[in-house]
Amino acid sequence: MDIMQVAGVGAGALVSEMAKSTWDSVRAAVARLFGRGGEESATQELRLIDAARQRLVDSSESERGSVEDRLRNELMIQLAAFLQKHPDAAQDLQNLADQAKGADDGDGARTNVHHNTESMVVVSGGDINASGGFHYRAPEQSR
């Protein structure tokens, strides 16, 4: 497994997840990954990840693309350095990136509603398809 390739894929997945509502669960997975380096190392690595996310969240819409590009490069370097020290974590990072990609591809939860009259449906993170011609696609999956 090529460390730079895995680091690049992981960095791209992290940047794409940073501004989503699912970030907390992704961050927890990243914390477990960095935990392979020990508690002190994990704390330092997560501090860098959190600072990167904050820069992305604080960026304006007009600068978002360039901020994402810079963050992908920075995180690729950070992840590659970590994987050099802990090559056994490469598969975990690849799995995390694959899970994030699966969510982007629409492999997440879907909800179908049939024969639903005069009621309200609230769905988080999935599609709604009601038989009467109403269809709602969750924003994160419509890109």
Side-chain angles (χ1 to χ4, degrees):
M1 188 173 295
D2 179 23
I3 287 177
M4 290 304 291
Q5 182 179 2
V6 173
V9 169
L14 287 181
V15 170
S16 71
E17 293 296 314
M18 284 180 169
K20 293 182 180 177
S21 62
T22 56
W23 172 247
D24 288 338
S25 64
V26 173
R27 187 188 184 282
V30 171
R32 285 189 299 276
L33 177 81
F34 287 144
R36 291 175 173 255
E39 188 176 329
E40 185 177 328
S41 173
T43 300
Q44 291 172 350
E45 299 283 359
L46 282 173
R47 194 173 297 133
L48 294 172
I49 296 287
D50 290 338
R53 179 179 183 266
Q54 195 60 52
R55 287 196 321 257
L56 179 64
V57 170
D58 290 345
S59 67
S60 68
E61 285 298 318
S62 64
E63 55 186 10
R64 181 76 40 103
S66 63
V67 171
E68 287 176 348
D69 290 342
R70 282 194 309 273
L71 291 180
R72 266 191 290 280
N73 289 330
E74 290 173 18
L75 293 175
M76 184 177 72
I77 293 166
Q78 179 184 359
L79 292 169
F82 181 81
L83 292 177
Q84 287 288 336
K85 296 178 211 164
H86 308 282
D88 57 321
Q91 187 60 53
D92 290 344
L93 180 59
Q94 183 66 54
N95 292 344
L96 188 140
D98 290 345
Q99 287 174 350
K101 184 181 181 318
D104 285 345
D105 288 345
D107 291 344
R110 297 200 190 306
T111 303
N112 291 306
V113 180
H114 302 281
H115 310 294
N116 191 24
T117 328
E118 296 182 31
S119 62
M120 182 184 293
V121 177
V122 178
V123 175
S124 173
D127 293 351
I128 301 172
N129 188 355
S131 298
F134 174 81
H135 179 79
Y136 170 81
R137 177 170 286 283
E140 289 179 1
Q141 294 178 2
S142 63
R143 293 179 197 179

